[in-house]
Amino acid sequence: MRVIDSHTEGEPTRVIVEGGPPLGRGSLAERVQRFGSGFDDYRRASINEPRGHEALVGALLCEPCDEACSSGVIFFNNAGYLGMCGHAMIGTAVTLAHLGRIEPGAHRFETPAGIVMVDLKTCNEATLLNVESFRSRKDVSIEVDSIGNVTGDVAYGGNWFFLTGDAPCPLTMENIPRLSTAAEAIRKTLAAKQVTGAEGAEIDHVEFFGPPVSTTADSRNFVLCPGGAYDRSPCGTGTSAKLACLAANGLLKPGQDWIQESIIGSRFVASYQPSGHSKIIPRLTGRAYVCGEATLFRNPEDPFADGIVASGRNMPASRSGASPDPQQFVAQQF
Ligand code: PYC
């Protein structure tokens, strides 16, 4: 399997450019289903240690159904599959430019969550027009063990988020372990209390907000991803969910810039346009840099050929339907 690694505002992306799973044709939603049920070992092997690590997001390039699109993309991480991923979409566009497959300019990409437009401004900077985003619930209060009462909004930005200003400590890098533990406790409480996104969708990302460190940013965030890793970037889908909340509260006008700072101090410049039915189309600009290229090998005799599952959290997701038992994997050539 040939992969190209990049980071977008600090958050890593690994694009599979050759040797990915043969998912056949059909909608991207059908192909994600097939990926999870028949080829989940490709996800685990490319993302988990020893070839990857918990912060990595994978992007599989595939033939789009819509011929006007430059490519289809399926995103995945150590816990399963993502509907959309903002930082990885920017990383994928920059990777395709690095390969000479696309030029600066406007491009359409098909993702399981819908069509995403990417304006590649330079070889290292892109603006993304994300899928329709919206807030579904305002001021949800939950009692979380070891933290107390937490109030936040539920919003969709390509993935489902719980967004709250009730962080247990300041949003600084030394506090990442404490913030991660608190966000995980919130995620579990939401699931236990059956607080969900639309149509019962699991809220698998938790986002804390606080004041920015930079005087030129509007806010700082900390985002915990489903597999327990925190987002080094301001999280494209999380920033989209934040814009939806700001728009719903009348706190940000259409076209007005919102500078979202991440926990490591990197940033996305974001704004939105209304799209009707109280939904918005977010617009995000960020930078990505290619930082490596590799051929991954898989030796069927290697007891960890399909990657090491470092914690219970990143076991194969139930929605993938795959077995967590390494003994049951069918040996496959990448
Ligand atoms: O940028 O949307 C994003 C994202 C989701 C999970 C990690 N990054």
Side-chain angles (χ1 to χ4, degrees), residues 11 57 82 84-88 159 161 205 225 231 233 235-238 268:
E11 178 74 351
V57 172
L82 294 163
M84 224 314 267
C85 184
H87 92 269
N159 295 300
F161 289 81
H205 291 72
C225 300
D231 198 328
S233 83
C235 191
T237 51
F268 284 148

Side-chain angles (χ1 to χ4, degrees), residues 18-193:
E18 263 174 46
L23 300 182
R25 302 193 80 82
S27 71
L28 281 210
E30 283 164 352
R31 282 183 266 174
V32 173
Q33 204 61 36
R34 242 172 263 146
F35 199 163
S37 59
F39 302 98
D40 197 56
D41 47 343
Y42 280 77
R43 176 187 66 79
R44 292 192 297 268
S46 58
I47 292 294
N48 289 334
E49 294 178 24
R51 300 178 192 83
H53 55 88
E54 68 166 16
L56 196 54
V57 172
L60 175 71
L61 300 175
C62 42
E63 187 118 337
C65 298
D66 176 344
E67 285 174 7
C69 290
S70 301
S71 180
V73 196
I74 295 175
F75 300 109
F76 49 98
N77 63 13
N78 59 342
Y81 299 86
L82 294 163
M84 224 314 267
C85 184
H87 92 269
M89 190 67 257
I90 294 174
T92 300
V94 162
T95 296
L96 290 172
H98 167 83
L99 290 169
R101 294 195 194 171
I102 63 171
E103 297 281 324
H107 301 275
R108 280 164 76 88
F109 288 93
E110 199 167 295
T111 76
I115 302 287
V116 170
M117 297 292 302
V118 177
D119 182 9
L120 187 66
K121 300 205 164 297
T122 68
C123 287
N124 293 111
E125 191 184 51
T127 295
L128 178 81
L129 284 190
N130 196 6
V131 295
E132 271 191 334
S133 302
F134 59 98
R135 180 173 71 185
S136 63
R137 293 184 66 178
K138 181 176 164 43
D139 290 341
V140 177
S141 279
I142 49 170
E143 201 57 34
V144 182
D145 279 352
S146 75
I147 312 178
N149 194 269
V150 175
T151 301
D153 290 356
V154 177
Y156 178 79
N159 295 300
W160 280 99
F161 289 81
F162 183 77
L163 304 96
T164 177
D166 293 342
C169 52
L171 305 188
T172 58
M173 286 185 75
E174 317 79 82
N175 284 335
I176 285 171
R178 206 168 147 202
L179 292 163
S180 300
T181 304
E184 180 69 2
I186 292 173
R187 194 184 60 74
K188 285 193 173 135
T189 306
L190 291 167
K193 298 205 179 306

